[in-house]
Amino acid sequence: VQLQASGGGLVQPGGSLRLSCAASGYIFRINAIDWYRQAPGKQRELVASILIDDSTSYAESVKGRFTISRNIHKNTGYLQMTSLKPEDTAKYYCNLDITRSDDYTTTNYWGQGTQVTVSS
């Protein structure tokens, strides 16, 4: 199983970006998708989660501004980010809990990270 994260970039305060995390390989089911971020000198923090029943949760700092979603047919998760602030600047990582189709084991996978910079 491989994950490919994309969609980061440089955006002005108040702008928007959509991150994507596409999974490929032996995938039977994606049980959960998490988005984390890590700013320089800070610990990695959980930003948003979506479970298999499509229930979602968000860090307080992004509630009302970020939306997590997924496309089960494309094995892809998304993080729509709006009203971006300079403090949202970080490297964003996706983490997927996947049940494999070859041996039906369940494993956590990390994407490679995509940089989001919010600056004027």
Side-chain angles (χ1 to χ4, degrees):
V1 173
Q2 292 188 328
L3 304 187
Q4 181 65 46
S6 61
L10 173 63
V11 64
Q12 291 187 340
S16 300
L17 283 174
R18 188 175 82 153
L19 307 183
S20 299
C21 182
S24 60
Y26 292 101
I27 300 169
F28 173 70
R29 184 179 62 229
I30 297 175
N31 304 305
I33 299 173
D34 298 323
W35 285 95
Y36 288 79
R37 67 185 180 188
Q38 187 166 22
K42 293 188 176 182
Q43 287 191 329
R44 189 172 294 191
E45 63 169 336
L46 179 61
V47 174
S49 300
I50 185 166
L51 302 181
I52 195 169
D53 62 357
D54 283 331
S55 60
T56 59
S57 60
Y58 298 91
E60 283 297 323
S61 58
V62 307
K63 273 185 183 177
R65 301 188 297 122
F66 290 11
T67 303
I68 189 171
S69 62
R70 65 189 186 126
N71 183 320
I72 60 174
H73 302 295
K74 294 184 178 180
N75 288 328
T76 300
Y78 304 97
L79 185 67
Q80 178 69 48
M81 306 184 293
T82 63
S83 302
L84 282 162
K85 306 174 181 180
E87 51 264 42
D88 294 318
T89 296
K91 196 160 190 178
Y92 284 70
Y93 298 87
C94 55
N95 178 274
L96 274 60
D97 186 81
I98 294 174
T99 299
R100 297 173 60 96
S101 59
D102 52 352
D103 58 12
Y104 297 100
T105 57
T106 297
T107 306
N108 238 237
Y109 295 89
W110 286 93
Q112 82 280 14
T114 183
Q115 179 67 37
V116 172
T117 302
V118 184
S119 175
S120 54

